[in-house]
Amino acid sequence: FVDAMRQADPDLKLIGWGDWGQKWRPDDTWTRKISAVDGIDLVEFHHHFGSGLPDSPLYGTEYRRDPDLTWHHLMNSYQSLEKKIAERREQVTPYGKRLAMTEGHYALPGRNRCEVLSSWGAGVSYARCLSVIEKASDILDIATLADFFGNRWQVNALMLPTPIRDGNAYLQPVGEVMKLYRHHIGEYALDCTLTGNDGAPVDVNASVSADGKTVYLHLVNTNRTESRTIELEL
């Protein structure tokens, strides 16, 4: 059956469900089994995440109480994605397979999956995650940080007003940032080193790509209240 499909479309790629961690798949045995299957090109996983830190204020309306604390937790969320991709990379690489994150977004308690996700701070957090995804493009073929569309869940990329006469559809912060990255990205990844005036590394997420004579630099300022000045050596 797979051979027949590929005869009709030689570019066809098949994705196999390779996630684990649920009670019926408590370890990575399933990921390795699906990775060993002939004909599977991409091994799929989901990633639903929070800040990764204890005592998170990212729930209900608690995030409104302390902006600095909320920012701290939002800025830490990308680390769980780094860890998840690293785990899956280790599991599929021996079999020559690549990865597909077909679903991924914040999973927070609160009304409509927590309205902190409609804030610009969440947009910066998503940008940190997208830099992680871009830098993992050597192994990760497909990725998303949102559900597609809906009329209330804050994890949607596109929000549909209900009833529709109440206004036009609009992008959530995650949709705006994904659109930004999608339209400003090169075909080839470039190495990037970031240092402060004292020569020490700085806490700024970055991913760099190039296409022809254009270089795309994705920088995320992780400071909530202060701007950054940069000098480029290319």
Side-chain angles (χ1 to χ4, degrees):
F1 180 66
V2 174
D3 290 341
M5 288 194 297
R6 288 208 164 103
Q7 287 178 3
D9 184 357
D11 295 327
L12 179 72
K13 291 186 178 182
L14 295 182
I15 300 176
W17 172 261
D19 216 348
W20 60 274
Q22 296 85 356
K23 61 183 179 181
W24 60 90
R25 285 193 297 269
D27 56 40
D28 67 351
T29 303
W30 178 254
T31 305
R32 298 183 188 278
K33 282 184 177 180
I34 200 69
S35 299
V37 174
D38 290 337
I40 295 295
D41 301 289
L42 306 175
V43 178
E44 188 270 0
F45 69 97
H46 288 181
H47 185 54
H48 302 130
F49 57 94
S51 73
L53 297 174
D55 302 321
S56 172
L58 305 182
Y59 66 90
T61 58
E62 185 65 21
Y63 71 91
R64 300 178 183 177
R65 294 180 181 274
D66 188 337
D68 287 332
L69 180 62
T70 293
W71 181 263
H72 174 65
H73 281 259
L74 287 172
M75 291 303 100
N76 191 74
S77 300
Y78 77 96
Q79 295 190 31
S80 68
L81 181 57
E82 281 187 332
K83 181 180 179 182
K84 188 72 167 277
I85 293 175
E87 290 174 348
R88 296 299 182 268
R89 180 193 294 272
E90 180 183 1
Q91 292 147 10
V92 305
T93 296
Y95 304 95
K97 297 302 188 341
R98 297 176 62 79
L99 293 171
M101 189 173 82
T102 56
E103 183 173 326
H105 54 71
Y106 269 103
L108 303 176
R111 187 174 67 171
N112 298 328
R113 298 201 162 186
C114 197
E115 290 168 348
V116 69
L117 299 181
S118 65
S119 69
W120 67 269
V124 180
S125 176
Y126 281 122
R128 297 201 81 170
C129 292
L130 283 168
S131 287
V132 171
I133 288 171
E134 188 176 348
K135 286 185 284 189
S137 59
D138 64 306
I139 190 73
L140 185 63
D141 272 13
I142 299 171
T144 183
L145 282 175
D147 286 340
F148 182 39
F149 68 89
N151 59 4
R152 62 184 182 90
W153 276 5
Q154 301 298 301
V155 293
N156 290 317
L158 183 70
M159 195 65 75
L160 304 176
T162 306
I164 195 64
R165 65 176 180 271
D166 286 350
N168 297 321
Y170 60 90
L171 291 174
Q172 286 280 89
V174 61
E176 292 282 5
V177 177
M178 287 196 296
K179 178 182 177 182
L180 180 69
Y181 272 62
R182 176 63 183 89
H183 286 282
H184 302 281
I185 191 170
E187 184 177 357
Y188 305 100
L190 300 178
D191 291 331
C192 176
T193 301
L194 296 171
T195 57
N197 293 334
D198 57 358
V202 295
D203 183 22
V204 179
N205 268 36
S207 51
V208 187
S209 59
D211 191 0
K213 294 184 178 180
T214 304
V215 174
Y216 300 92
L217 177 62
H218 293 157
L219 286 172
V220 180
N221 180 5
T222 58
N223 190 301
R224 186 176 72 89
T225 58
E226 297 180 6
S227 61
R228 298 286 182 91
T229 300
I230 63 171
E231 294 181 5
L232 301 179
E233 294 182 11
L234 192 61

